[in-house]
Amino acid sequence: MKSSAKKLIHSITAFTLLDYPDKTACILWFAGCNMKCSYCYNPEIVFGKGNYTIPELLSFLEKRKNLLDAVVFSGGECLLYPDVLELMTLVKKMGFLIKVDTNGSIPLRLQQAIDLEMIDYVALDFKAPLSKTKSITKADFYEHFIQCVAILQEAQIPFEVRTTVHSDLLDESDLKEMISILEEKQYRGNYYLQSFRNGVETIEKMNPSKFKAFTHLSTETIWVQMR
C-alpha cells in the first residue's frame, strides 16, 4: 500500500489554543499506541483505526493556511509510523510549525525527525519511575524515555516534560525520584504534573484520584507546574 493511501489518523481537533504554547494549532490524533496506560483518556484512539489518509489531511490543512500557526502530532503515539516523517515534511512545506506529543518510546524516529529539522516543539511524557513503569504502562520503555531526554537536550529544541498523576499510581516519593532523574539528565525548566481527571472513560476502570498540589517539590532548576 502506498503511504498516501494509509489511514494513520484516527481523528482531528480542528482548533486549539492549549496544546502549543502561544500558538494556534490543530491536533492530529494518530491511531494506536505501544503503551496501554491504565489511566489513558483515549481508549478509542489507542485501540482504534485510522480514518484519514495523507491527501485528506493535506486538503484539511490547505484550508487552514494563514489561520493556524502549528500542527500537533499526538495520539496514541505518532512516532509509531515510519510514514510520519513524510507527513511532517509535507506539513512543514505548507508553512506550519510542528509539535510532537510522544511517550518517549521511539528515540530513533525522534532523532530522525530532529535530523530532518521537522520538529519545533516536543511534549515528552514521563510515565513513572523505573520501578512502576511496567505496571502503569504495560510496557518496558523506560530506557527509551531516558534516550529521548538526551536526544532533546542535545538538539536544543524547545521541549517540556509532563506526567499524569493519579493518586493510586504515583505518590510524592515517586515524583521526587522522577525530579531527581530529570536533574541527573540536566533537564532544566518546567515539569508539568497533569492531575487525573475523574469521571472520564479510561483504558482501565480507575478509582477517583485525590488531587494534591506538588509545586513544593520544585528545585533550583526544575519548576513543578500543576495542570
Side-chain angles (χ1 to χ4, degrees):
M1 182 185 293
K2 292 182 179 179
S3 60
S4 62
K6 295 178 182 177
K7 294 184 176 182
L8 310 180
I9 309 301
H10 175 275
S11 52
I12 302 170
T13 298
F15 181 78
T16 176
L17 291 171
L18 301 176
D19 288 81
Y20 195 128
D22 303 317
K23 304 294 181 184
T24 58
C26 65
I27 309 173
L28 307 182
W29 300 96
F30 282 72
C33 191
N34 54 359
M35 295 184 185
K36 301 295 183 288
C37 302
S38 50
Y39 57 74
C40 178
Y41 304 129
N42 298 321
E44 74 284 359
I45 296 174
V46 169
F47 297 108
K49 295 182 179 180
N51 296 303
Y52 297 91
T53 64
I54 288 178
E56 289 170 334
L57 290 168
L58 297 180
S59 176
F60 165 81
L61 291 173
E62 188 69 36
K63 299 170 185 174
R64 281 149 181 83
K65 282 185 176 180
N66 303 317
L67 298 174
L68 298 177
D69 302 313
V71 178
V72 179
F73 286 56
S74 194
E77 175 51 51
C78 65
L79 297 180
L80 276 177
Y81 302 97
D83 297 316
V84 74
L85 298 174
E86 175 190 350
L87 180 56
M88 286 180 176
T89 301
L90 295 169
V91 170
K92 289 293 281 188
K93 284 181 179 178
M94 297 177 78
F96 294 103
L97 299 169
I98 290 178
K99 173 180 178 260
V100 167
D101 294 341
T102 179
N103 62 24
S105 64
I106 312 175
L108 175 60
R109 193 150 298 131
L110 177 64
Q111 184 70 69
Q112 290 171 330
I114 290 171
D115 290 344
L116 292 169
E117 299 183 346
M118 291 293 106
I119 300 179
D120 300 286
Y121 193 89
V122 173
L124 179 64
D125 290 336
F126 192 177
K127 299 294 187 179
L130 177 59
S131 61
K132 290 189 174 180
T133 293
K134 196 162 187 178
S135 63
I136 290 176
T137 68
K138 311 304 185 287
D140 190 16
F141 291 113
Y142 178 83
E143 293 302 328
H144 298 69
F145 164 80
I146 296 298
Q147 290 178 46
C148 286
V149 174
I151 288 168
L152 290 167
Q153 292 281 66
E154 178 69 22
Q156 295 186 334
I157 63 173
F159 77 103
E160 66 182 54
V161 180
R162 60 190 190 179
T163 297
T164 297
V165 181
H166 189 294
S167 57
D168 286 351
L169 301 177
L170 295 174
D171 58 27
E172 186 166 319
S173 64
D174 296 317
L175 296 172
K176 285 180 178 179
E177 180 181 352
M178 294 161 76
I179 290 168
S180 294
I181 291 164
L182 291 174
E183 286 185 314
E184 288 173 13
K185 303 304 174 185
Q186 281 84 51
Y187 177 71
R188 184 185 185 96
N190 291 326
Y191 177 32
Y192 293 100
L193 300 184
Q194 303 171 157
S195 297
F196 177 83
R197 299 195 307 271
N198 294 320
V200 297
E201 182 183 358
T202 50
I203 285 182
E204 294 183 12
K205 187 173 178 57
M206 305 294 297
N207 295 321
S209 179
K210 299 174 183 176
F211 173 81
K212 182 178 179 181
F214 291 101
T215 51
H216 63 284
L217 298 182
S218 297
T219 70
E220 291 184 0
T221 56
I222 295 177
W223 306 287
V224 176
Q225 306 285 335
M226 301 302 299
R227 279 180 173 165

